[in-house]
Amino acid sequence: MSDNMRVDSILSQIRAIRNEVKPTAPEGVTPLREVEPAQDSFAKLLTESVSAVSETQKSAAGLAEAFERGDPNVSLAEVMVASQKSSVAFTAMVEVRNKMIDAYQEVMRMSV
């Protein structure tokens, strides 16, 4: 299953669940919801992002290996697109890391 198909499938599931869930709070009252602590949710987001980049790289490597073996179901175009997606995802992850390091250094330079 390609990444786009997985994303579309997940979005469809989210939309279906959202349509099934109806708010039960009285009119004009915003229902309370549990909120993850910012630190935990940020760490979770980073972990999921790194995992997604890793999966993209593994998928691209698998397609390249299948093409090299001569698999008739894998075209050169698919291999190149997967390779580029992997490269872009990794580059984006590195840039986010660099921005985080810059922000950390800026905070450390602040006087208390």
Side-chain angles (χ1 to χ4, degrees):
M1 182 181 271
S2 73
D3 290 339
N4 290 339
M5 292 174 67
R6 282 191 291 204
V7 170
D8 291 340
S9 172
I10 292 170
L11 285 175
S12 297
Q13 291 173 359
I14 290 171
R15 287 181 185 123
I17 291 169
R18 185 177 53 193
N19 290 336
E20 290 176 9
V21 176
K22 302 290 182 209
T24 56
E27 191 173 348
V29 176
T30 304
L32 295 176
R33 60 184 176 94
E34 288 187 33
V35 178
E36 294 180 47
Q39 184 178 10
D40 291 344
S41 62
F42 184 70
K44 183 178 175 183
L45 175 68
L46 284 178
T47 302
E48 290 172 355
S49 298
V50 170
S51 295
V53 170
S54 177
E55 286 300 316
T56 303
Q57 290 177 327
K58 287 177 186 176
S59 174
L63 281 173
E65 187 178 311
F67 181 76
E68 290 169 0
R69 284 192 314 250
D71 187 342
N73 297 325
V74 179
S75 70
L76 179 60
E78 286 178 303
V79 173
M80 295 305 295
V81 167
S83 176
Q84 286 300 310
K85 281 183 180 180
S86 172
S87 176
V88 168
F90 183 76
T91 302
M93 183 180 67
V94 169
E95 289 300 320
V96 168
R97 182 208 62 183
N98 292 344
K99 289 293 183 182
M100 288 174 47
I101 290 171
D102 290 344
Y104 175 77
Q105 289 173 342
E106 185 67 29
V107 168
M108 294 307 291
R109 279 187 235 126
M110 290 181 182
S111 61
V112 179

